[in-house]
Amino acid sequence: MRPTPRPSDFAAECRTAVAAAEAAGALLRARFPDGFAARPKGALGDVVTDLDLLAETMVVDRIRADYPHDRVLAEESGDSGGEGGPGRGRTWLVDPLDGSNNVVIGLPVYVVGIALCVEGAPVVGVVHDPVTGRTWSARRGAGARGPAGPLAPAPRPPSPAGPLLAWTQGHAVRRDDPAVRVLRHALELRSRRLLQLWAPLVAWAMLARGDIDGFVGYRAEAIDLPAGALLAREAGVVLRGLDGAEFTAGFTGPDTDRSFVAGRPEILPALLDLVSAATPRPAGPPHSRTTPRTTS
């Protein structure tokens, strides 16, 4: 059995990710909101800008310079090669501009996200906000950090108006998907606010800081899930699947394995109850919420 890597094993990788994200952020900040061109990406309403491409090249080149044998998967260019090094199974995930749709309409809600996964599980996660210049980072087992030091939001009593939640769904999810409509409507009815930011990594950073109470994702995108989930988990957030089982924020496998409920520990039971009541159950024998399931 491969030994579990120690947190200190990834200090250098975290420094590389922070430096790359902040360099890309400086580029994005200098060109926002007017210095770029945009074009449609796919048939589902997504967009890509030349800022995505420039920032991605900058990040990938930095990772390649420090870790030439590692595999790199980037949002726009895909797999740039590498096999994770001999026997190491290391893959970097790069989202150079999470929030491209916001950028195109002049909304300053976007971040740079980078993760390193070993054997499919995130061990380093970095989120950088070019607008404010703030960076949040995490290493597995070593906690999460922000500009002011360790992230450890204090528990707070539930609001009588309901929790403050964020929502995300993958690009492949149809707008008329009945499961999405039921689940999102239930969350909107029972929460104080349900934020839909078009930038999941922004929501993950907010959750890790304690600005919001919970985050629900339905068939989330693979490229940004590991960085955000690791940041939140290392800050004390609890992650579960929609069925309440343990959730591993990996990037492989079908998107049906990337639906999640994440929340502050004091509100997670109520949030799981709400999600459970609004989630259709597959046919078959009943199972306990605590039954582990495998996610990729």
Side-chain angles (χ1 to χ4, degrees):
M1 179 179 296
R2 186 183 303 276
T4 301
R6 299 186 305 274
S8 59
D9 292 343
F10 303 105
E13 287 89 339
C14 191
R15 288 193 294 270
T16 290
V18 168
E22 291 180 346
L27 167 69
L28 297 174
R29 184 169 59 249
R31 299 279 293 272
F32 178 84
D34 301 316
F36 63 89
R39 65 178 185 274
K41 176 183 175 182
L44 298 175
D46 201 10
V47 297
V48 61
T49 73
D50 56 2
L51 293 183
D52 294 76
L53 304 177
L54 291 169
E56 181 172 289
T57 297
M58 182 176 290
V59 172
V60 171
D61 285 352
R62 179 62 179 264
I63 294 171
R64 280 263 166 262
D66 289 353
Y67 301 98
H69 301 294
D70 286 0
R71 183 185 181 203
V72 181
L73 292 177
E75 172 74 11
E76 307 305 334
S77 59
D79 193 336
S80 65
E83 298 179 355
R88 291 185 296 170
R90 292 163 52 107
T91 301
W92 293 84
L93 305 176
V94 177
D95 192 342
L97 203 175
D98 185 34
S100 299
N101 281 282
N102 293 335
V103 168
V104 167
I105 63 174
L107 187 64
V109 181
Y110 62 96
V111 292
V112 181
I114 302 173
L116 171 63
C117 294
V118 175
E119 304 297 345
V123 297
V124 170
V126 170
V127 177
H128 172 68
D129 180 356
V131 177
T132 64
R134 295 183 296 174
T135 302
W136 301 276
S137 64
R139 289 184 290 133
R140 187 172 69 184
R145 298 186 63 84
L151 295 179
R156 60 175 178 248
S159 167
L164 183 56
L165 305 176
W167 165 269
T168 189
Q169 65 189 58
H171 294 308
V173 179
R174 293 174 44 179
R175 295 180 182 179
D176 61 351
D177 184 308
V180 168
R181 294 172 62 184
V182 171
L183 178 56
R184 190 169 56 206
H185 182 61
L187 295 172
E188 287 173 337
L189 286 177
R190 297 281 296 275
S191 63
R192 180 158 44 107
R193 293 287 188 275
L194 184 65
L195 307 177
Q196 301 177 62
L197 301 175
W198 289 358
L201 284 169
V202 175
W204 282 117
M206 294 175 70
L207 183 58
R209 297 194 304 261
D211 298 336
I212 60 176
D213 300 307
F215 189 16
V216 178
Y218 186 82
R219 295 169 56 189
E221 294 297 307
I223 201 74
D224 50 43
L225 176 61
L230 180 67
L231 181 68
R233 180 171 276 149
E234 290 295 326
V237 171
V238 182
L239 278 71
R240 294 288 185 267
L242 295 187
D243 60 359
E246 293 294 329
F247 181 76
T248 301
F251 65 94
T252 60
D255 62 4
T256 50
D257 284 346
R258 296 195 296 272
S259 296
F260 63 85
V261 181
R264 299 163 60 91
E266 65 270 24
I267 75 132
L268 188 68
L271 185 55
L272 283 171
D273 286 342
L274 170 58
V275 169
S276 177
T279 303
R281 294 297 177 191
H287 62 278
S288 168
R289 167 186 296 172
T290 57
T291 301
R293 72 182 180 95
T294 301
T295 54
S296 299

